[in-house]
Amino acid sequence: MSGFVHSVGGQTWRFDSLREVMAKASPARSGDRLAGVAAGSDAERVAAQMALADIPLKHFLDEALIPYESDEVTRLIIDSHDRQAFAPVSHLTVGGLRDWLLGDAADEASLRALAPGLTPEMAAAVSKIMRVQDLVLVAQKIRVVTRFRNTMGLRGRMSTRLQPNHPTDDPAGIAASVLDGLLYGNGDAMLGINPATDSLQSICTLLEMLDAIIQRYEIPTQSCVLTHVTSSIEAINRGAPLDLVFQSIAGTEAANASFGVSLSILQEGYEAGLSQKRGTLGDNLMYFETGQGSALSANAHHGVDQQTCETRAYAVARHFKPFLVNTVVGFIGPEYLYNGKQIIRAGLEDHFCAKLLGVPMGCDICYTNHAEADQDDMDMLLTLLGVAGINFIMGIPGSDDVMLNYQTTSFHDALYARQTLGLRPAPEFEAWLARMEILRQQDGRVHMASQLPGAFRHALAQLS
C-alpha cells in the first residue's frame, strides 16, 4: 500500500503511512498533541480509525513503524513473531480482529495460543477502535499466570504490591508501612520499595530488611528494591537476598538507552536473577515498569504515537518471562495524559494490550498533583480494571506516596475492590492470611479480622 484513504462527511482524508494512520486513530491525549502526531479534529480521528479497521493484519508484518535496521526492539518483535500462532487470524483485518476478539471463539485457551502470533502494533491497532467496554470484556477473558513464591494472575484473584516507600529509607518507617499493609491483606504481589538513594549499601540493607520480614513471618511473597538493573546485578554479586530484578523499560531502543539499558543488559540481569534460585514455585523473576509517554519524554518515539510505543515495550517484557509488569499509568504527568478521562482510557488500553500479548499486567492507578484528575477518577479505573481481571494493583499508606509525591491506591482501596467484586488474594498468600488471623473468607468475600492478630502485637509494640 502507498497510503490509506477514507472519507467522512464528504471530506476525504489520506494517511501516507501506517505510522500516521495509527497515530491519528488514537483516542485524544495530550502527549500525542505535544508530539505533533495527533489527529487535527474528531473527523480526522474517525477517518483514521475507519481506515485502520480496513488494514489487513498481515500488513503489520510488512511495514515496520520503526526500521528493523535501526531499532533492536523492532528486530525482537519481527524475529520472535510466531507465524503458526498467527495463522488463525492471519486472514483478518484490524476490524475483523476486533469482531473475533469480542466473539465466543476468542476464549481463554484460544487467546493464550494466539499471543505469540500478535505483534504489539497489531494489539495497539485493534485497541484504538475499541470502546471501554470492549477493552474490559476481552481482557477479562485472558489470564496470564506466573509463579515465584506464589501464583499471580488466576481467575477471581487480584493481588497487590505493598509499596512502603519512605523519603529517607528509614527502616522503622518502612517496617510500619509493611505491617500496616499486611494487616489489610496487601503484599501478595510483592513487598516493593522505591529507594530514596541509589547507594548500593542502602539497597542491600533494604533487601536484607525485606527478606528478614518475609523469613520471620514465613510470608509466601517476594521482595524487590526498584533500583537500576545493573545495581541489582551488583547486589547479587555481593550476596544480597534479591528476589525480583527490576527495570523500567520502553518501546524503542533509544528510549531504553535513555534508561541506561539494552536487551543484552536485561538478559544479564535475568540470568543473574536465575542464578539465585530463590523462587519456590517458579522462576518468573523480572519486574518491569512502563508508562505511556516515556519514549516521547526521551525524544525517542520516532514519530510513533505514545500508546503504540508503550505496547512495543510489552514485547521487551514478555521476552524475559516476567513475574509482574506494571503500567504506572498517570505518573508521567498531564503533558502526556492530561486528565482523568485520558488516564482511565490509557490504563484500560495498557492492560488489554499487555494481556493480549501474554504479559502479566498490573497497574499503578495513579496521577500527579498537577493533573486534571482526582481520587474519584482512580476509583473508576480501579473498579474497571478489577472487572477486567488486572493481575495486581498498588497498596500504599493513605494512597499518598510520601517519597515519590504522587497519588495512587491505598491498602483499603484493594480491600474495597476485593469485597465489591468478590476477588481474593493469591491462593498461597490467602492461606497465610487465614493462618495469621488477618483476613477471613465469608460468603466468598474477603473480610478483615476484628482484632489485631497476636503474631503482630509484639512487632507493633516495638515500632511504637
Side-chain angles (χ1 to χ4, degrees), residues 75-359:
R75 292 194 290 275
L76 174 65
I77 290 167
I78 298 300
D79 295 348
S80 63
H81 181 248
D82 187 332
R83 287 186 177 269
Q84 185 174 352
F86 178 55
V89 299
S90 62
H91 61 292
L92 297 176
T93 62
V94 173
L97 177 61
R98 174 186 178 272
D99 293 342
W100 184 84
L101 290 170
L102 293 170
D104 293 338
D107 57 16
E108 185 172 343
S110 62
L111 289 167
R112 184 183 305 112
L114 177 64
L118 294 178
T119 67
E121 291 84 354
M122 293 175 192
V126 75
S127 76
K128 294 176 191 296
I129 61 169
M130 298 179 85
R131 294 170 57 185
V132 162
Q133 65 176 249
D134 299 339
L135 298 173
V136 172
L137 173 61
V138 176
Q140 64 82 30
K141 298 182 183 185
I142 305 169
R143 288 298 178 271
V144 182
V145 178
T146 58
R147 293 176 176 86
F148 191 74
R149 288 204 191 97
N150 56 25
T151 307
M152 292 287 109
L154 295 171
R155 188 170 296 277
R157 309 276 177 172
M158 187 189 74
S159 298
T160 63
R161 170 188 158 190
L162 203 172
Q163 184 171 301
N165 292 347
H166 192 279
T168 63
D169 290 339
D170 177 64
I174 291 171
S177 292
V178 170
L179 176 59
D180 190 20
L182 290 173
L183 291 173
Y184 275 95
N186 282 244
D188 47 342
M190 67 167 159
L191 310 182
I193 299 174
N194 299 84
T197 172
D198 286 331
S199 160
L200 197 60
Q201 182 56 54
S202 176
I203 290 163
C204 290
T205 298
L206 292 173
L207 286 168
E208 289 163 1
M209 175 189 177
L210 292 177
D211 185 62
I213 293 171
I214 290 171
Q215 298 302 324
R216 175 178 177 181
Y217 295 104
E218 299 179 330
I219 309 172
T221 191
Q222 37 285 317
S223 67
C224 183
V225 173
L226 281 67
T227 187
H228 195 270
V229 62
T230 55
S231 296
S232 293
I233 293 169
E234 182 56 32
I236 289 171
N237 292 337
R238 293 190 182 190
L242 188 147
D243 293 337
L244 304 183
V245 177
F246 167 77
Q247 183 56 48
S248 293
I249 58 172
T252 72
E253 180 178 346
N256 283 323
S258 75
F259 291 142
V261 297
S262 63
L263 295 180
S264 61
I265 291 174
L266 293 174
Q267 182 67 33
E268 185 180 352
Y270 177 54
E271 292 173 358
L274 287 174
S275 72
Q276 296 284 80
K277 294 182 169 61
R278 293 179 60 81
T280 55
L281 296 183
D283 58 5
N284 301 116
L285 54 81
M286 300 299 284
Y287 174 58
F288 295 119
E289 287 194 342
T290 68
Q292 289 191 27
S294 59
L296 172 58
S297 70
N299 195 29
H301 60 104
H302 302 274
V304 177
D305 68 271
Q306 68 180 38
Q307 189 252 336
T308 302
C309 282
E310 165 72 6
T311 306
R312 283 169 54 93
Y314 306 154
V316 177
R318 72 176 173 181
H319 182 66
F320 296 100
K321 303 177 179 64
F323 182 63
L324 304 167
V325 178
N326 178 29
T327 172
V328 192
V329 67
F331 184 75
I332 200 167
E335 298 82 5
Y336 305 93
L337 295 170
Y338 178 72
N339 57 19
K341 181 172 183 175
Q342 292 187 11
I343 292 170
I344 290 168
R345 172 81 195 190
L348 294 170
E349 289 170 348
D350 294 352
H351 178 248
F352 163 84
C353 288
K355 288 289 185 65
L356 198 58
L357 294 168
V359 172

